[in-house]
Amino acid sequence: QVQLVESGGGSVQAGGSLRLSCAGSGYDYSMCMAWFRQAPGKEREGVAAIDSDGTTSYADSVKGRFTISIDNAKKTLYLQMNNLKPDDTALYYCAADEVDYGLGASEDFGYWGQGTQVTVSS
């Protein structure tokens, strides 16, 4: 059974940095993995994704500030977030699927973590 557990969220001031982690278990193959976020009153949106071949994709709003990476040996996905803005405040989710969707729609991903809160104050 695939399980994803996020960690690393917190509260920072604008301009600060955070690194999110997502520990995976229950599978023995590379998957497409992604970070999504959902702010109060807004729809869930894709932030960044990394396909099983290492190809990365980003939402325009985070390009140049966020970096997605993966340690396949540890089955851990990361999201390095720099120069954070108040608009980045949201609940951040880790997602995975056997199919390489890139930064696809949330409905495409079959496995989800429970989320970790990121709050950026001005």
Side-chain angles (χ1 to χ4, degrees):
Q1 181 179 359
V2 176
Q3 290 191 323
L4 304 172
V5 179
E6 302 97 333
S7 61
S11 297
V12 295
Q13 290 192 327
S17 298
L18 283 174
R19 189 176 82 154
L20 305 183
S21 299
C22 171
S25 62
Y27 57 96
D28 291 318
Y29 44 86
S30 296
M31 291 203 284
C32 176
M33 300 192 74
W35 290 98
F36 286 78
R37 66 186 181 187
Q38 188 166 18
K42 295 187 177 181
E43 292 188 355
R44 190 172 297 187
E45 63 172 354
V47 175
I50 184 165
D51 285 342
S52 61
D53 66 355
T55 301
T56 59
S57 52
Y58 296 90
D60 287 343
S61 59
V62 306
K63 281 181 182 176
R65 299 189 298 121
F66 291 11
T67 302
I68 189 171
S69 61
I70 191 166
D71 184 331
N72 283 311
K74 295 182 179 179
K75 294 182 183 177
T76 301
L77 180 72
Y78 302 100
L79 185 68
Q80 178 66 44
M81 304 185 295
N82 298 327
N83 190 22
L84 283 160
K85 304 176 180 181
D87 283 349
D88 295 319
T89 295
L91 188 60
Y92 282 71
Y93 296 91
C94 172
D97 201 87
E98 290 88 351
V99 179
D100 280 334
Y101 291 112
L103 196 56
S106 59
E107 306 87 78
D108 294 332
F109 289 82
Y111 307 106
W112 291 84
Q114 82 288 350
T116 186
Q117 179 67 38
V118 172
T119 302
V120 185
S121 58
S122 58

